[in-house]
Coordinates of all heavy atoms in Angstrom, one line a residue:
M7 N 49.0 -57.9 15.3 CA 48.7 -58.1 16.7 C 48.9 -56.7 17.4 O 49.8 -56.0 17.2 CB 49.7 -59.1 17.4 CG 49.4 -59.4 18.8 SD 50.4 -60.7 19.4 CE 50.0 -60.7 21.1
K8 N 47.9 -56.4 18.3 CA 47.9 -55.1 19.0 C 48.9 -55.1 20.1 O 49.2 -56.2 20.7 CB 46.5 -54.8 19.5 CG 45.5 -54.6 18.4 CD 44.2 -54.3 19.1 CE 43.1 -54.2 18.0 NZ 41.8 -54.0 18.6
Q9 N 49.4 -54.0 20.5 CA 50.3 -53.8 21.6 C 49.5 -53.6 22.9 O 48.4 -53.0 22.8 CB 51.2 -52.6 21.4 CG 52.2 -52.8 20.3 CD 53.2 -53.9 20.6 OE1 53.7 -54.0 21.8 NE2 53.6 -54.6 19.6
C10 N 50.0 -54.1 24.0 CA 49.3 -53.9 25.3 C 49.4 -52.4 25.6 O 50.4 -51.7 25.6 CB 50.0 -54.7 26.4 SG 49.3 -54.5 28.0
Y11 N 48.2 -51.9 26.0 CA 48.1 -50.4 26.3 C 48.9 -50.1 27.6 O 49.5 -49.0 27.6 CB 46.6 -50.1 26.5 CG 46.3 -48.7 27.1 CD1 46.3 -47.6 26.2 CD2 46.0 -48.5 28.4 CE1 46.1 -46.4 26.7 CE2 45.8 -47.3 28.9 CZ 45.8 -46.2 28.1 OH 45.6 -44.9 28.5
F12 N 48.9 -51.0 28.5 CA 49.6 -50.7 29.8 C 51.1 -50.8 29.7 O 51.8 -50.1 30.3 CB 49.0 -51.6 30.9 CG 47.6 -51.4 31.1 CD1 46.6 -52.3 30.7 CD2 47.1 -50.3 31.8 CE1 45.3 -52.1 30.9 CE2 45.8 -50.1 32.0 CZ 44.9 -51.0 31.6
C13 N 51.5 -51.8 28.8 CA 53.0 -52.0 28.6 C 53.6 -50.8 27.8 O 54.7 -50.4 28.1 CB 53.2 -53.3 28.0 SG 52.9 -54.8 29.0
T14 N 52.9 -50.4 26.8 CA 53.4 -49.3 26.0 C 53.4 -48.0 26.7 O 54.3 -47.2 26.4 CB 52.6 -49.2 24.7 OG1 51.2 -49.0 25.0 CG2 52.8 -50.4 23.8
N15 N 52.5 -47.7 27.6 CA 52.4 -46.5 28.3 C 53.1 -46.6 29.7 O 53.0 -45.6 30.5 CB 51.0 -46.0 28.5 CG 50.4 -45.7 27.2 OD1 51.0 -45.2 26.3 ND2 49.1 -46.0 27.0
T16 N 53.7 -47.7 30.0 CA 54.4 -48.0 31.2 C 53.6 -47.6 32.4 O 54.0 -46.9 33.3 CB 55.8 -47.2 31.3 OG1 55.5 -45.8 31.3 CG2 56.7 -47.6 30.2
I17 N 52.4 -48.2 32.4 CA 51.4 -48.0 33.6 C 51.6 -49.3 34.4 O 51.3 -50.4 34.0 CB 50.0 -47.9 33.1 CG1 49.9 -46.6 32.2 CG2 49.0 -47.8 34.3 CD1 48.5 -46.5 31.6
S18 N 52.1 -49.2 35.6 CA 52.4 -50.3 36.4 C 51.2 -50.7 37.3 O 51.0 -51.9 37.6 CB 53.6 -50.1 37.4 OG 53.3 -49.0 38.2
Y19 N 50.3 -49.7 37.7 CA 49.2 -50.0 38.5 C 47.9 -49.6 37.8 O 47.8 -48.5 37.4 CB 49.3 -49.2 39.8 CG 48.2 -49.4 40.8 CD1 48.0 -50.6 41.4 CD2 47.3 -48.4 41.0 CE1 46.9 -50.8 42.3 CE2 46.2 -48.6 41.9 CZ 46.0 -49.8 42.5 OH 45.0 -50.0 43.4
V20 N 47.0 -50.6 37.7 CA 45.7 -50.3 37.1 C 44.8 -49.8 38.2 O 44.3 -50.5 39.0 CB 45.1 -51.6 36.4 CG1 43.8 -51.2 35.7 CG2 46.1 -52.2 35.4
D21 N 44.5 -48.5 38.2 CA 43.8 -47.8 39.2 C 42.3 -48.0 39.0 O 41.8 -47.7 37.9 CB 44.2 -46.4 39.3 CG 43.6 -45.7 40.6 OD1 43.3 -46.4 41.5 OD2 43.6 -44.5 40.6
H22 N 41.6 -48.5 40.0 CA 40.1 -48.7 39.9 C 39.4 -47.3 40.0 O 38.2 -47.3 39.7 CB 39.6 -49.6 41.0 CG 39.8 -49.1 42.4 ND1 40.9 -49.3 43.1 CD2 38.9 -48.5 43.2 CE1 40.8 -48.8 44.3 NE2 39.6 -48.2 44.4
K23 N 40.0 -46.3 40.4 CA 39.4 -45.0 40.5 C 39.5 -44.2 39.2 O 38.8 -43.2 39.0 CB 40.0 -44.1 41.6 CG 39.8 -44.7 43.0 CD 40.4 -43.9 44.1 CE 41.9 -43.9 44.1 NZ 42.5 -45.1 44.6
N24 N 40.3 -44.6 38.2 CA 40.4 -44.0 36.9 C 39.3 -44.6 36.0 O 39.6 -45.5 35.2 CB 41.8 -44.2 36.3 CG 42.1 -43.4 35.1 OD1 41.2 -42.7 34.6 ND2 43.3 -43.4 34.7
V25 N 38.1 -44.0 36.1 CA 36.9 -44.6 35.4 C 37.0 -44.4 33.9 O 36.6 -45.3 33.2 CB 35.7 -44.0 36.0 CG1 34.4 -44.5 35.3 CG2 35.5 -44.3 37.5
E26 N 37.5 -43.3 33.5 CA 37.6 -43.0 32.0 C 38.5 -44.0 31.3 O 38.2 -44.5 30.2 CB 38.0 -41.6 31.8 CG 37.0 -40.6 32.2 CD 35.7 -40.8 31.5 OE1 35.6 -41.0 30.3 OE2 34.7 -40.7 32.2
M27 N 39.6 -44.4 32.0 CA 40.5 -45.4 31.4 C 39.9 -46.8 31.4 O 40.0 -47.5 30.4 CB 41.8 -45.4 32.2 CG 42.9 -46.2 31.5 SD 43.1 -47.9 32.1 CE 43.2 -47.6 33.9
L28 N 39.1 -47.1 32.4 CA 38.5 -48.4 32.5 C 37.4 -48.6 31.5 O 37.2 -49.7 31.0 CB 38.0 -48.7 33.9 CG 39.0 -48.8 35.0 CD1 38.3 -48.9 36.4 CD2 40.0 -49.9 34.8
K29 N 36.7 -47.5 31.2 CA 35.6 -47.5 30.2 C 36.0 -47.9 28.8 O 35.3 -48.4 28.0 CB 34.8 -46.2 30.2 CG 33.9 -46.0 31.3 CD 33.2 -44.7 31.1 CE 32.2 -44.4 32.3 NZ 31.6 -43.1 32.1
R30 N 37.3 -47.7 28.5 CA 37.9 -48.0 27.2 C 37.8 -49.5 27.0 O 37.8 -50.0 25.8 CB 39.3 -47.6 27.1 CG 39.5 -46.1 27.2 CD 41.0 -45.8 27.0 NE 41.4 -46.2 25.7 CZ 42.7 -46.4 25.3 NH1 43.6 -46.2 26.2 NH2 43.0 -46.8 24.1
F31 N 37.8 -50.3 28.0 CA 37.9 -51.8 27.9 C 36.6 -52.4 28.2 O 36.5 -53.7 28.4 CB 39.0 -52.3 28.9 CG 40.3 -51.7 28.6 CD1 40.8 -50.7 29.4 CD2 41.1 -52.0 27.5 CE1 42.0 -50.1 29.1 CE2 42.3 -51.4 27.2 CZ 42.8 -50.5 28.0
L32 N 35.5 -51.7 28.2 CA 34.1 -52.2 28.3 C 33.4 -52.1 27.0 O 33.6 -51.0 26.3 CB 33.4 -51.5 29.4 CG 33.9 -51.6 30.9 CD1 33.1 -50.7 31.8 CD2 33.9 -53.0 31.3
N33 N 32.6 -53.0 26.7 CA 31.8 -52.9 25.5 C 30.5 -52.1 25.8 O 30.3 -51.7 27.0 CB 31.4 -54.3 24.9 CG 30.5 -55.1 25.7 OD1 30.0 -54.7 26.7 ND2 30.4 -56.4 25.3
P34 N 29.6 -51.8 24.8 CA 28.4 -51.0 25.1 C 27.5 -51.6 26.1 O 26.7 -50.9 26.7 CB 27.8 -50.8 23.8 CG 28.9 -51.0 22.8 CD 29.8 -51.9 23.4
H35 N 27.6 -52.9 26.3 CA 26.7 -53.6 27.3 C 27.4 -53.6 28.7 O 26.9 -54.3 29.6 CB 26.4 -55.0 26.9 CG 25.6 -55.0 25.6 ND1 24.3 -54.6 25.5 CD2 26.0 -55.4 24.3 CE1 24.0 -54.8 24.2 NE2 25.0 -55.3 23.5
A36 N 28.5 -52.9 28.9 CA 29.3 -52.8 30.1 C 29.9 -54.1 30.5 O 30.1 -54.4 31.7 CB 28.4 -52.3 31.3
R37 N 30.2 -55.0 29.5 CA 31.0 -56.2 29.8 C 32.5 -56.0 29.5 O 32.8 -55.2 28.6 CB 30.5 -57.3 28.9 CG 29.0 -57.7 29.1 CD 28.7 -58.9 28.2 NE 27.2 -59.2 28.4 CZ 26.5 -59.5 27.3 NH1 27.0 -59.6 26.1 NH2 25.2 -59.8 27.5
I38 N 33.3 -56.7 30.2 CA 34.7 -56.6 30.0 C 35.1 -57.3 28.6 O 34.7 -58.4 28.4 CB 35.5 -57.3 31.1 CG1 35.1 -56.7 32.5 CG2 37.0 -57.2 30.9 CD1 35.7 -57.4 33.7
M39 N 35.8 -56.6 27.8 CA 36.2 -57.1 26.5 C 37.3 -58.1 26.6 O 38.2 -58.0 27.5 CB 36.5 -56.0 25.5 CG 35.4 -55.2 25.0 SD 35.7 -54.2 23.6 CE 36.5 -52.8 24.4
A40 N 37.4 -59.1 25.7 CA 38.4 -60.1 25.7 C 39.8 -59.5 25.4 O 39.8 -58.5 24.7 CB 38.1 -61.2 24.8
H41 N 40.8 -60.1 25.8 CA 42.2 -59.6 25.5 C 42.5 -59.7 24.1 O 43.3 -59.0 23.5 CB 43.2 -60.2 26.4 CG 43.6 -61.6 26.0 ND1 44.7 -61.9 25.2 CD2 43.1 -62.8 26.3 CE1 44.8 -63.2 25.0 NE2 43.8 -63.8 25.7
S42 N 41.9 -60.7 23.4 CA 42.1 -60.8 22.0 C 41.5 -59.6 21.2 O 42.0 -59.2 20.1 CB 41.5 -62.1 21.4 OG 40.2 -62.1 21.7
R43 N 40.5 -59.0 21.8 CA 39.9 -57.8 21.2 C 40.6 -56.5 21.5 O 40.7 -55.6 20.6 CB 38.4 -57.8 21.7 CG 37.6 -56.7 21.2 CD 36.8 -57.1 20.0 NE 36.1 -56.0 19.4 CZ 34.9 -56.0 19.0 NH1 34.2 -57.2 19.0 NH2 34.4 -55.0 18.4
T44 N 41.1 -56.4 22.7 CA 41.8 -55.2 23.1 C 43.3 -55.2 22.9 O 43.9 -54.1 22.9 CB 41.5 -54.9 24.6 OG1 41.9 -56.0 25.4 CG2 40.0 -54.7 24.9
G45 N 43.9 -56.4 22.9 CA 45.3 -56.5 22.7 C 46.1 -56.4 24.0 O 47.3 -56.1 23.9
I46 N 45.5 -56.5 25.1 CA 46.2 -56.4 26.4 C 46.8 -57.7 26.7 O 46.2 -58.8 26.5 CB 45.2 -56.0 27.5 CG1 44.6 -54.6 27.2 CG2 45.8 -56.0 28.9 CD1 43.6 -54.2 28.2
C47 N 48.0 -57.7 27.3 CA 48.6 -59.0 27.7 C 47.9 -59.6 28.9 O 47.1 -59.0 29.5 CB 50.1 -58.7 28.1 SG 50.4 -57.6 29.5
A48 N 48.2 -60.9 29.1 CA 47.4 -61.6 30.1 C 47.6 -61.1 31.5 O 46.6 -61.0 32.3 CB 47.9 -63.1 30.1
R49 N 48.8 -60.6 31.9 CA 49.0 -60.1 33.2 C 48.2 -58.8 33.5 O 47.5 -58.7 34.5 CB 50.5 -59.8 33.4 CG 50.8 -59.1 34.7 CD 52.2 -58.8 34.9 NE 52.9 -58.4 33.7 CZ 54.0 -57.8 33.6 NH1 54.7 -57.5 34.7 NH2 54.5 -57.4 32.4
H50 N 48.1 -57.9 32.5 CA 47.4 -56.7 32.6 C 45.9 -57.0 32.5 O 45.1 -56.2 33.0 CB 47.9 -55.6 31.7 CG 49.2 -55.0 32.1 ND1 50.3 -55.2 31.3 CD2 49.5 -54.3 33.2 CE1 51.3 -54.6 31.9 NE2 50.8 -54.1 33.0
Q51 N 45.5 -58.0 31.7 CA 44.1 -58.3 31.6 C 43.5 -58.8 33.0 O 42.4 -58.4 33.4 CB 43.9 -59.4 30.6 CG 42.4 -59.9 30.4 CD 41.6 -58.9 29.6 OE1 42.1 -58.0 29.0 NE2 40.3 -59.0 29.7
R52 N 44.3 -59.5 33.7 CA 43.9 -59.9 35.1 C 43.8 -58.7 36.0 O 42.8 -58.6 36.8 CB 44.8 -61.0 35.6 CG 44.7 -62.3 35.0 CD 45.5 -63.4 35.7 NE 47.0 -63.1 35.7 CZ 47.8 -63.5 34.8 NH1 47.4 -64.2 33.8 NH2 49.1 -63.2 34.9
K53 N 44.7 -57.8 35.9 CA 44.7 -56.6 36.8 C 43.6 -55.7 36.4 O 42.9 -55.1 37.2 CB 46.0 -55.9 36.7 CG 47.2 -56.6 37.3 CD 48.4 -55.8 37.2 CE 49.6 -56.5 37.9 NZ 50.8 -55.7 37.8
L54 N 43.3 -55.6 35.1 CA 42.2 -54.8 34.6 C 40.8 -55.3 35.1 O 40.0 -54.6 35.5 CB 42.2 -54.7 33.1 CG 41.1 -54.0 32.4 CD1 41.2 -52.5 32.6 CD2 41.0 -54.3 30.9
A55 N 40.7 -56.7 35.0 CA 39.4 -57.3 35.4 C 39.2 -57.0 36.9 O 38.0 -56.7 37.3 CB 39.4 -58.8 35.1
L56 N 40.2 -57.1 37.7 CA 40.1 -56.9 39.1 C 39.8 -55.4 39.4 O 38.9 -55.1 40.3 CB 41.4 -57.3 39.8 CG 41.4 -57.1 41.4 CD1 40.4 -58.1 42.0 CD2 42.8 -57.4 41.9
A57 N 40.4 -54.5 38.7 CA 40.1 -53.1 38.8 C 38.7 -52.7 38.4 O 38.0 -51.9 39.1 CB 41.1 -52.2 38.0
I58 N 38.2 -53.3 37.4 CA 36.8 -53.1 36.9 C 35.8 -53.6 38.0 O 34.8 -53.0 38.3 CB 36.5 -53.7 35.5 CG1 37.3 -52.9 34.5 CG2 35.1 -53.7 35.2 CD1 37.3 -53.5 33.1
K59 N 36.1 -54.8 38.5 CA 35.2 -55.4 39.5 C 35.2 -54.5 40.8 O 34.1 -54.3 41.4 CB 35.6 -56.8 39.8 CG 35.4 -57.8 38.7 CD 35.9 -59.1 39.0 CE 35.8 -60.0 37.7 NZ 36.4 -61.3 37.9
R60 N 36.3 -54.0 41.2 CA 36.4 -53.1 42.3 C 35.6 -51.8 42.1 O 34.9 -51.3 42.9 CB 37.8 -52.7 42.7 CG 38.5 -53.9 43.4 CD 39.9 -53.5 43.7 NE 40.6 -54.6 44.4 CZ 41.9 -54.7 44.6 NH1 42.7 -53.8 44.1 NH2 42.4 -55.8 45.2
A61 N 35.7 -51.2 40.9 CA 35.0 -50.0 40.5 C 33.5 -50.3 40.5 O 32.7 -49.4 40.8 CB 35.5 -49.5 39.2
R62 N 33.1 -51.4 40.0 CA 31.7 -51.8 40.0 C 31.2 -51.9 41.5 O 30.1 -51.4 41.8 CB 31.4 -53.1 39.3 CG 31.5 -53.0 37.8 CD 31.4 -54.4 37.2 NE 31.3 -54.3 35.8 CZ 31.5 -55.3 35.0 NH1 31.7 -56.5 35.5 NH2 31.4 -55.2 33.7
F63 N 31.9 -52.5 42.4 CA 31.5 -52.6 43.8 C 31.4 -51.3 44.4 O 30.5 -51.1 45.3 CB 32.5 -53.5 44.5 CG 32.2 -53.7 46.0 CD1 31.2 -54.6 46.3 CD2 32.8 -53.0 46.9 CE1 30.9 -54.8 47.7 CE2 32.5 -53.2 48.3 CZ 31.5 -54.1 48.6
L64 N 32.2 -50.3 44.1 CA 32.1 -49.0 44.6 C 31.2 -48.1 43.9 O 31.1 -46.9 44.1 CB 33.5 -48.3 44.6 CG 34.5 -49.0 45.5 CD1 35.9 -48.4 45.3 CD2 34.1 -48.9 47.0
A65 N 30.4 -48.6 42.9 CA 29.4 -47.9 42.1 C 30.0 -46.8 41.2 O 29.4 -45.8 41.0 CB 28.3 -47.4 43.0
L66 N 31.3 -47.0 40.8 CA 31.9 -46.1 39.9 C 31.6 -46.5 38.4 O 31.5 -45.7 37.6 CB 33.4 -46.0 40.1 CG 33.9 -45.6 41.5 CD1 35.4 -45.7 41.6 CD2 33.4 -44.2 41.7
L67 N 31.4 -47.8 38.2 CA 31.0 -48.4 36.9 C 29.7 -49.2 37.1 O 29.5 -49.8 38.2 CB 32.1 -49.2 36.4 CG 33.4 -48.6 35.9 CD1 34.4 -49.6 35.5 CD2 33.1 -47.7 34.7
P68 N 28.9 -49.3 36.0 CA 27.7 -50.1 36.1 C 28.0 -51.6 35.9 O 29.0 -51.9 35.3 CB 26.8 -49.6 35.0 CG 27.8 -49.1 34.0 CD 29.0 -48.5 34.8
Y69 N 27.2 -52.4 36.5 CA 27.3 -53.8 36.3 C 26.7 -54.2 34.9 O 27.3 -55.0 34.2 CB 26.5 -54.6 37.3 CG 27.3 -54.8 38.6 CD1 27.0 -53.9 39.7 CD2 28.2 -55.7 38.8 CE1 27.7 -54.1 40.9 CE2 28.9 -55.9 40.0 CZ 28.7 -55.1 41.0 OH 29.4 -55.2 42.2
I70 N 25.6 -53.5 34.6 CA 25.0 -53.7 33.2 C 24.6 -52.3 32.7 O 24.3 -51.4 33.5 CB 23.8 -54.6 33.2 CG1 22.7 -54.1 34.2 CG2 24.1 -56.0 33.6 CD1 21.4 -54.8 34.1
A71 N 24.6 -52.2 31.4 CA 24.2 -50.9 30.8 C 22.8 -51.1 30.2 O 22.4 -52.1 29.8 CB 25.1 -50.5 29.6
R72 N 22.0 -50.0 30.3 CA 20.6 -50.0 29.8 C 20.5 -49.3 28.5 O 21.2 -48.4 28.2 CB 19.7 -49.5 30.8 CG 19.6 -50.3 32.0 CD 18.6 -49.8 33.0 NE 18.6 -50.7 34.2 CZ 18.0 -50.5 35.3 NH1 17.3 -49.4 35.4 NH2 18.1 -51.3 36.3

């Protein structure tokens, strides 16, 4: 079982402006990967999804990849 990226690095706030970190958790089609695939705990998966959605709304991340 994988360790949670945010728990191991003691990241308390998932920042929606940190685009490079958010891209790690998107697949090539710009979809959010499942926590079983990434190894993120459920609490941080919810925070990550919210941060990705905020970044998409601000046009920092794409909704779909071409």
Side-chain angles (χ1 to χ4, degrees):
M7 184 172 173
K8 297 180 183 180
Q9 293 291 325
C10 177
Y11 173 79
F12 300 103
C13 292
T14 55
N15 295 324
T16 62
I17 300 172
S18 59
Y19 178 70
V20 183
D21 191 16
H22 65 274
K23 295 180 291 281
N24 191 353
V25 177
E26 292 303 317
M27 189 264 307
L28 294 178
K29 282 183 181 179
R30 296 182 62 202
F31 303 103
L32 298 176
N33 67 8
H35 298 291
R37 295 183 186 140
I38 302 171
M39 286 196 281
H41 76 93
S42 59
R43 181 95 187 220
T44 58
I46 297 176
C47 63
R49 175 177 40 160
H50 285 115
Q51 180 73 18
R52 290 190 295 272
K53 290 182 181 182
L54 175 72
L56 184 63
I58 289 174
K59 290 173 186 178
R60 284 181 179 165
R62 284 175 174 167
F63 180 76
L64 294 173
L66 300 174
L67 287 174
Y69 281 98
I70 57 170
R72 293 187 181 168

